[in-house]
Amino acid sequence: MDTYSEKSEQHEEPVGLYARIAAVAAEHPDRPAVVAGPEVLTFRELTMLAGTLGERLVRSGLPWQSPIGLYMPHGIPMVVGLVTALAVGSPYVPLDPALPAQRLRSMVEDADVGWVMTEEGQSGPGDWSVTYGEVVLSAVGRGDTDVSAACSAPGARPDDLAYVMFTSGTSGRPKAVEITHGNVLNLLDGLSVNVWAGVPHSRVAWNANPSFDASVQQWIRLCRGDTLVLVGEECRKDPAAMANLLVEHQVTDLDVVPSHLAHLLDELNSQKLPLRLFVGGEAPTRELWMALDGMTREYGLIAWNLYGPTECAVDSTAARIVGGSPTLGGPIAGVRTYVLDEQLRPVPDGAIGELYIAGAGVGRGYRGQPGRTAGAFLPDVFAGDGGRMYRTGDLVRRRGDRDLVFVGRRDRQVKVRGHRIELDDVEAALGALPIIVDVAAVLRTDLLPGPGIVAYVVLTEQMAQKELRQQFAEVLPGYMLPASIVPMDALPLQPSGKTDYQGLPAPTARANVPTSGPGGRLGAYASDTEELLAALWGEILGHEHVAADDDFFDLGGDSLIVSRMLNRFREMSGARVKPRVMFDNPVLRDFAKAVQELLRTHS
């Protein structure tokens, strides 16, 4: 592996992502770069910290382009760590502390992570099977002016890796996607031409988890001098708190998945915020599209639908959300799109074909998986420039106005609340558990309160739902956990012996939680509040009866459904309850007591 001194001799003036951030810092040193509540980091401070930490990494023997894991929660230290990685020419690898340890181990191994950057008090699972270095961000003070902000690393070039990000894989192990500085610079410049043209300095909400590629579209705004306003996890779950943050910090730009946006619409409408909304991660419904069109006409909101796979640096197409019906629009600058049949021949306008993406946004491939890379990244025979085109697996048709319309998928990949999930990945992870004899995972759209994954399982022995979910959580990230679990004696089979997915039964209203009738297993409800909440939970989660000792999340609830439930409770009772109360008291009986105490305190 090359050393930094060897790279310094080979490199000309750096033109990578960090060079853009450093140029902003030179021109606007005191402009806020990152805001997290009352805490503010200027561009001068950001580059000083990145330079100081980067120099420490170089001197400690970090090899050129050695991946750096960022194992820390979403916050200012994460931003500093990310920019430091860019400064030393290392691809960063986001490692979400909330992920199961087993999944983190496989990510560290597959990405060849040699260093993990943390903040003080944050340590990784002790059984990671790699040797890793540790840089504690808090060890470098903000006022440390004795250390030069200049880092001796030569700076990245367009062909160098910028990050390695994981997506769901069919083998039960996530796939490590390699994206270069040139790929990300194309995203930055393409959106600047097609979406941000004429937009002055903005205050951009960093709303996405750093482990997902939507976050890249948000942090790259630093490269054009915009200010990042960090959105905490608790704030994301509370529509009122989210709207207040947007107002308090004068946020101009919000990137959000449609399923999350649906929970925010009422608050955004009540505030009449003239935001620029960037909607992506999943297909918006026609109802959401028309609602955003109406908000645009009423008070000047601007909304864009952005589409693109992780393998092509986040966004490949863009469409203004105005009138008509949902569309992916057309390619951003630097990107080409083809709609092809199974023989890789262009289909006529209006016909359904598979979408292929080519141009400067197409990533390097899957790290350490040349076979899988070759199957998905094909030679671009239409351009004839030696480049490649990525096979998305998405079925689309091209309208007469040349806009692309999403039709569906050609495989078992699904999107749930903006997260890309391979159902084979879910089956492989669950199938490896000793308790599981056989498993089938499907996406069902007929669940309440909305689409979700259902796991049909054949077990070695009977096990309570709560214990099953605990085992599932040890091998699957939270966003991949089934909304419902259906135990079966055997899975239905086709004549070929393969699982008959069409023959799987619909989950019953109470398939995933046993009940003993109204009032639950421990008798009648203890208060009117319990009874009211039981009816509300049953309505929202689609259960005929909810017991006093039932757990909201075992019933299929999640953070977004918490927001919906609390909004309905406020409509019914007039009481505003923060999501934290729900997360701390997920059992109905405990939540009812917490609500009653809250009402007494504020009466």
Side-chain angles (χ1 to χ4, degrees):
M1 187 172 288
D2 290 329
T3 65
Y4 279 91
S5 59
E6 290 169 338
K7 279 295 175 183
S8 296
E9 294 173 0
Q10 299 168 13
H11 275 207
E12 302 171 0
E13 191 69 21
V15 292
L17 293 158
Y18 182 73
R20 299 256 187 132
I21 297 174
V24 173
E27 186 175 358
H28 305 286
D30 297 321
R31 175 180 288 178
V34 191
V35 175
E39 195 171 5
V40 177
L41 195 70
T42 67
F43 274 93
R44 176 195 286 118
E45 292 171 323
L46 176 60
T47 52
M48 176 178 289
L49 282 169
T52 301
L53 287 170
E55 185 62 23
R56 181 180 297 178
L57 282 167
V58 171
R59 291 179 179 177
S60 63
L62 176 75
W64 176 256
Q65 280 277 278
S66 177
I68 296 176
L70 302 181
Y71 183 82
M72 58 187 83
H74 187 32
I76 283 182
M78 166 63 79
V79 181
V80 174
L82 188 158
V83 174
T84 298
L86 299 177
V88 299
S90 283
Y92 76 87
V93 184
L95 302 171
D96 187 351
L99 289 175
Q102 180 176 322
R103 200 169 185 90
L104 284 169
R105 284 196 299 273
S106 69
M107 291 167 66
V108 166
E109 294 166 1
D110 291 349
D112 299 319
V113 170
W115 289 76
V116 175
M117 195 178 295
T118 71
E119 57 180 318
E120 190 171 18
Q122 185 79 46
S123 59
D127 56 351
W128 279 3
S129 57
V130 296
T131 301
Y132 63 95
E134 190 172 71
V135 177
V136 181
L137 290 178
S138 58
V140 180
R142 293 280 183 83
D144 191 355
T145 55
D146 295 332
V147 181
S148 171
C151 176
S152 62
R157 304 291 294 179
D159 289 341
D160 293 325
L161 287 180
Y163 61 84
V164 177
M165 197 162 289
F166 286 82
T167 68
S168 182
T170 57
S171 65
R173 289 176 74 98
K175 296 179 292 188
V177 180
E178 296 185 318
I179 297 295
T180 68
H181 282 254
N183 299 147
V184 183
L185 287 169
N186 185 77
L187 171 69
L188 176 66
D189 295 339
L191 291 177
S192 295
V193 169
N194 296 100
V195 177
W196 302 328
V199 174
H201 169 246
S202 305
R203 294 176 70 85
V204 182
W206 187 344
N207 182 43
N209 187 306
S211 293
F212 299 101
D213 66 344
S215 65
V216 176
Q217 179 192 300
Q218 293 157 36
W219 69 251
I220 61 170
R221 302 292 290 271
L222 291 171
C223 297
R224 66 190 300 270
D226 293 334
T227 299
L228 293 183
V229 178
L230 304 188
V231 181
E233 186 61 28
E234 291 304 313
C235 183
R236 286 188 77 256
K237 298 170 184 175
D238 186 340
M242 184 77 157
N244 290 338
L245 177 140
L246 299 177
V247 172
E248 178 184 354
H249 291 288
Q250 300 177 313
V251 170
T252 59
D253 295 31
L254 174 63
D255 187 357
V256 61
V257 297
S259 53
H260 187 199
L261 178 58
H263 293 273
L264 296 175
L265 277 186
D266 288 344
E267 292 291 344
L268 297 183
N269 263 324
S270 66
Q271 301 275 7
K272 296 288 190 291
L273 299 179
L275 291 166
R276 283 185 292 271
L277 283 179
F278 305 104
V279 182
E282 60 192 13
T285 63
R286 181 178 178 83
E287 291 73 21
L288 179 62
W289 187 280
M290 297 308 295
L292 294 174
D293 175 59
M295 294 162 70
T296 297
R297 299 174 188 277
E298 182 181 355
Y299 54 86
L301 178 139
I302 296 174
W304 287 83
N305 185 31
L306 302 178
Y307 159 87
T310 302
E311 289 84 349
C312 297
V314 192
D315 295 321
S316 301
T317 70
R320 272 292 301 272
I321 299 180
V322 287
S325 57
T327 170
L328 303 180
I332 64 173
V335 173
R336 298 184 298 277
T337 56
Y338 309 125
V339 184
L340 309 177
D341 64 16
E342 292 183 357
Q343 284 73 46
L344 301 184
R345 298 172 302 194
V347 303
D349 287 354
I352 296 175
E354 186 171 350
L355 179 61
Y356 288 74
I357 297 173
V362 177
R364 188 181 290 181
Y366 300 116
R367 190 173 184 88
Q369 299 187 56
R372 178 171 281 176
T373 297
F377 295 80
L378 309 179
D380 182 359
V381 297
F382 301 100
D385 58 1
R388 296 171 306 153
M389 58 184 187
Y390 173 69
R391 184 180 189 184
T392 67
D394 288 329
L395 301 177
V396 300
R397 60 179 177 84
R398 200 185 302 274
R399 300 193 314 201
D401 59 6
R402 309 302 291 167
D403 274 5
L404 297 166
V405 177
F406 178 76
V407 176
R409 288 287 303 177
R410 65 169 177 81
D411 55 19
R412 300 191 69 227
Q413 185 183 111
V414 298
K415 285 286 188 79
V416 179
R417 299 184 181 89
H419 300 301
R420 172 175 153 184
I421 299 171
E422 295 278 2
L423 292 173
D424 291 341
D425 188 357
V426 177
E427 290 180 354
L430 298 184
L433 293 172
I435 190 69
I436 302 294
V437 175
D438 205 357
V439 58
V442 299
L443 176 71
R444 296 198 67 105
T445 58
D446 55 353
L447 301 180
L448 286 175
I453 294 173
V454 177
Y456 297 84
V457 295
V458 179
L459 305 174
T460 59
E461 59 184 270
Q462 288 188 350
M463 179 175 287
Q465 291 282 322
K466 186 172 184 178
E467 283 71 25
L468 265 181
R469 290 183 179 279
Q470 288 173 347
Q471 290 202 21
F472 288 7
E474 293 177 1
V475 295
L476 287 175
Y479 67 91
M480 293 176 66
L481 288 172
S484 180
I485 305 171
V486 181
M488 300 185 70
D489 294 331
L491 298 182
L493 300 177
Q494 299 174 340
S496 64
K498 295 182 179 180
T499 301
D500 180 9
Y501 289 96
Q502 300 301 317
L504 293 168
T508 63
R510 191 67 174 179
N512 60 336
V513 181
T515 186
S516 60
R521 292 174 289 282
L522 299 182
Y525 299 117
S527 66
D528 291 341
T529 304
E530 275 190 20
E531 188 169 2
L532 173 64
L533 287 170
L536 179 56
W537 288 18
E539 170 196 331
I540 289 179
L541 297 173
H543 294 292
E544 184 179 355
H545 301 297
V546 175
D549 57 344
D550 276 336
D551 184 300
F552 184 82
F553 301 103
D554 285 346
L555 294 175
D558 62 21
S559 59
L560 292 181
I561 299 172
V562 166
S563 298
R564 178 180 169 188
M565 185 273 293
L566 294 179
N567 285 338
R568 285 282 291 117
F569 183 68
R570 182 177 62 184
E571 293 171 2
M572 297 168 67
S573 67
R576 181 185 291 272
V577 180
K578 292 184 177 181
R580 182 75 266 165
V581 179
M582 177 77 255
F583 293 111
D584 290 342
N585 303 277
V587 174
L588 182 117
R589 177 184 297 102
D590 298 334
F591 181 62
K593 290 178 181 177
V595 168
Q596 289 173 322
E597 181 61 28
L598 185 68
L599 295 176
R600 280 195 295 270
T601 303
H602 292 83
S603 60

